[in-house]
Short mmCIF file of all heavy atoms in Angstrom, two decimals:
data_model
loop_
_atom_site.label_atom_id
_atom_site.label_comp_id
_atom_site.label_asym_id
_atom_site.label_seq_id
_atom_site.Cartn_x
_atom_site.Cartn_y
_atom_site.Cartn_z
N PRO J 1 11.36 3.94 -4.00
CA PRO J 1 12.76 3.55 -3.80
C PRO J 1 13.42 3.13 -5.10
O PRO J 1 12.78 2.51 -5.96
CB PRO J 1 12.65 2.35 -2.83
CG PRO J 1 11.30 2.46 -2.23
CD PRO J 1 10.41 3.13 -3.24
N ASP J 2 14.68 3.47 -5.23
CA ASP J 2 15.43 3.07 -6.45
C ASP J 2 15.49 1.57 -6.65
O ASP J 2 15.62 1.10 -7.78
CB ASP J 2 16.87 3.62 -6.39
CG ASP J 2 16.90 5.15 -6.48
OD1 ASP J 2 15.94 5.74 -7.01
OD2 ASP J 2 17.89 5.71 -5.99
N THR J 3 15.39 0.82 -5.59
CA THR J 3 15.49 -0.64 -5.66
C THR J 3 14.18 -1.32 -5.99
O THR J 3 14.11 -2.54 -6.12
CB THR J 3 16.02 -1.20 -4.32
OG1 THR J 3 15.13 -0.78 -3.29
CG2 THR J 3 17.43 -0.71 -4.07
N SER J 4 13.09 -0.55 -6.14
CA SER J 4 11.78 -1.11 -6.42
C SER J 4 11.35 -0.87 -7.86
O SER J 4 11.63 0.17 -8.43
CB SER J 4 10.72 -0.49 -5.51
OG SER J 4 10.99 -0.79 -4.17
N SER J 5 10.62 -1.83 -8.37
CA SER J 5 9.98 -1.65 -9.68
C SER J 5 8.70 -0.83 -9.47
O SER J 5 8.23 -0.66 -8.34
CB SER J 5 9.61 -2.99 -10.29
OG SER J 5 8.57 -3.59 -9.57
N PHE J 6 8.12 -0.36 -10.55
CA PHE J 6 6.86 0.39 -10.44
C PHE J 6 5.76 -0.51 -9.85
O PHE J 6 4.97 -0.07 -9.00
CB PHE J 6 6.41 0.92 -11.81
CG PHE J 6 7.14 2.18 -12.20
CD1 PHE J 6 8.17 2.13 -13.13
CD2 PHE J 6 6.82 3.40 -11.64
CE1 PHE J 6 8.84 3.29 -13.51
CE2 PHE J 6 7.49 4.58 -12.00
CZ PHE J 6 8.51 4.50 -12.94
N ALA J 7 5.73 -1.75 -10.24
CA ALA J 7 4.73 -2.69 -9.73
C ALA J 7 4.91 -2.89 -8.24
O ALA J 7 3.93 -2.93 -7.47
CB ALA J 7 4.78 -4.00 -10.46
N GLU J 8 6.13 -3.10 -7.79
CA GLU J 8 6.39 -3.30 -6.35
C GLU J 8 6.02 -2.04 -5.56
O GLU J 8 5.36 -2.14 -4.52
CB GLU J 8 7.86 -3.62 -6.12
CG GLU J 8 8.25 -5.02 -6.64
CD GLU J 8 9.76 -5.22 -6.66
OE1 GLU J 8 10.51 -4.23 -6.72
OE2 GLU J 8 10.17 -6.39 -6.63
N ALA J 9 6.41 -0.90 -6.03
CA ALA J 9 6.10 0.35 -5.34
C ALA J 9 4.59 0.59 -5.27
O ALA J 9 4.06 1.06 -4.27
CB ALA J 9 6.81 1.51 -5.99
N ALA J 10 3.91 0.27 -6.34
CA ALA J 10 2.45 0.46 -6.40
C ALA J 10 1.73 -0.46 -5.41
O ALA J 10 0.65 -0.13 -4.92
CB ALA J 10 1.94 0.25 -7.79
N SER J 11 2.32 -1.61 -5.14
CA SER J 11 1.68 -2.57 -4.24
C SER J 11 1.87 -2.23 -2.76
O SER J 11 1.11 -2.70 -1.91
CB SER J 11 2.18 -3.97 -4.51
OG SER J 11 3.55 -4.11 -4.07
N LEU J 12 2.84 -1.39 -2.44
CA LEU J 12 3.12 -1.10 -1.03
C LEU J 12 1.93 -0.57 -0.26
O LEU J 12 1.70 -0.97 0.87
CB LEU J 12 4.31 -0.17 -0.93
CG LEU J 12 5.67 -0.78 -1.32
CD1 LEU J 12 6.77 0.29 -1.29
CD2 LEU J 12 6.02 -1.94 -0.44
N PRO J 13 1.17 0.37 -0.79
CA PRO J 13 0.06 0.89 0.02
C PRO J 13 -1.14 -0.05 0.11
O PRO J 13 -2.06 0.21 0.86
CB PRO J 13 -0.34 2.18 -0.68
CG PRO J 13 0.24 2.12 -2.04
CD PRO J 13 1.39 1.15 -1.99
N LEU J 14 -1.11 -1.16 -0.61
CA LEU J 14 -2.28 -2.08 -0.62
C LEU J 14 -2.63 -2.57 0.79
O LEU J 14 -3.80 -2.58 1.17
CB LEU J 14 -2.00 -3.26 -1.54
CG LEU J 14 -3.14 -4.26 -1.66
CD1 LEU J 14 -4.39 -3.60 -2.20
CD2 LEU J 14 -2.71 -5.41 -2.55
N VAL J 15 -1.64 -2.98 1.59
CA VAL J 15 -1.96 -3.50 2.92
C VAL J 15 -2.53 -2.39 3.80
O VAL J 15 -3.50 -2.64 4.57
CB VAL J 15 -0.75 -4.15 3.61
CG1 VAL J 15 -0.34 -5.42 2.88
CG2 VAL J 15 0.42 -3.23 3.75
N LEU J 16 -2.02 -1.19 3.69
CA LEU J 16 -2.56 -0.07 4.48
C LEU J 16 -4.01 0.24 4.07
O LEU J 16 -4.88 0.40 4.91
CB LEU J 16 -1.70 1.19 4.29
CG LEU J 16 -2.22 2.39 5.05
CD1 LEU J 16 -1.83 2.28 6.52
CD2 LEU J 16 -1.72 3.65 4.47
N ILE J 17 -4.27 0.29 2.78
CA ILE J 17 -5.62 0.56 2.31
C ILE J 17 -6.59 -0.52 2.77
O ILE J 17 -7.71 -0.25 3.20
CB ILE J 17 -5.63 0.69 0.77
CG1 ILE J 17 -4.86 1.94 0.35
CG2 ILE J 17 -7.05 0.70 0.22
CD1 ILE J 17 -4.52 1.99 -1.14
N THR J 18 -6.15 -1.78 2.71
CA THR J 18 -7.01 -2.90 3.13
C THR J 18 -7.28 -2.80 4.64
O THR J 18 -8.44 -2.97 5.07
CB THR J 18 -6.33 -4.24 2.80
OG1 THR J 18 -6.07 -4.27 1.39
CG2 THR J 18 -7.19 -5.42 3.21
N ALA J 19 -6.27 -2.58 5.42
CA ALA J 19 -6.46 -2.49 6.88
C ALA J 19 -7.34 -1.30 7.23
O ALA J 19 -8.26 -1.41 8.05
CB ALA J 19 -5.08 -2.38 7.58
N TRP J 20 -7.08 -0.15 6.64
CA TRP J 20 -7.87 1.05 6.91
C TRP J 20 -9.36 0.82 6.55
O TRP J 20 -10.25 1.12 7.35
CB TRP J 20 -7.33 2.25 6.12
CG TRP J 20 -8.04 3.51 6.44
CD1 TRP J 20 -9.24 3.94 5.95
CD2 TRP J 20 -7.60 4.51 7.37
NE1 TRP J 20 -9.57 5.16 6.49
CE2 TRP J 20 -8.58 5.52 7.36
CE3 TRP J 20 -6.48 4.65 8.17
CZ2 TRP J 20 -8.47 6.65 8.17
CZ3 TRP J 20 -6.38 5.79 8.96
CH2 TRP J 20 -7.37 6.76 8.94
N GLY J 21 -9.57 0.27 5.38
CA GLY J 21 -10.96 0.04 4.94
C GLY J 21 -11.71 -0.88 5.88
O GLY J 21 -12.86 -0.63 6.21
N GLY J 22 -11.04 -1.96 6.31
CA GLY J 22 -11.72 -2.92 7.19
C GLY J 22 -11.98 -2.36 8.60
O GLY J 22 -13.04 -2.56 9.16
N LEU J 23 -11.00 -1.69 9.14
CA LEU J 23 -11.13 -1.17 10.49
C LEU J 23 -12.02 0.05 10.61
O LEU J 23 -12.86 0.13 11.52
CB LEU J 23 -9.74 -0.79 11.05
CG LEU J 23 -8.77 -1.91 11.35
CD1 LEU J 23 -7.42 -1.34 11.73
CD2 LEU J 23 -9.30 -2.81 12.46
N PHE J 24 -11.86 0.99 9.68
CA PHE J 24 -12.52 2.28 9.84
C PHE J 24 -13.68 2.51 8.86
O PHE J 24 -14.77 2.93 9.30
CB PHE J 24 -11.49 3.40 9.73
CG PHE J 24 -10.35 3.24 10.69
CD1 PHE J 24 -9.05 3.17 10.22
CD2 PHE J 24 -10.58 3.10 12.04
CE1 PHE J 24 -8.00 3.01 11.09
CE2 PHE J 24 -9.51 2.92 12.94
CZ PHE J 24 -8.21 2.89 12.44
N ASP J 25 -13.49 2.24 7.60
CA ASP J 25 -14.56 2.49 6.62
C ASP J 25 -15.72 1.53 6.83
O ASP J 25 -16.88 1.93 6.83
CB ASP J 25 -14.04 2.40 5.19
CG ASP J 25 -13.03 3.50 4.86
OD1 ASP J 25 -13.01 4.52 5.57
OD2 ASP J 25 -12.25 3.32 3.90
#
């Protein structure tokens, strides 16, 4: 998104990766 910094945008998938890893992996 134009309103996000690179750091903010990079952090967005973190919650998904954490949830996926715990539930499925």
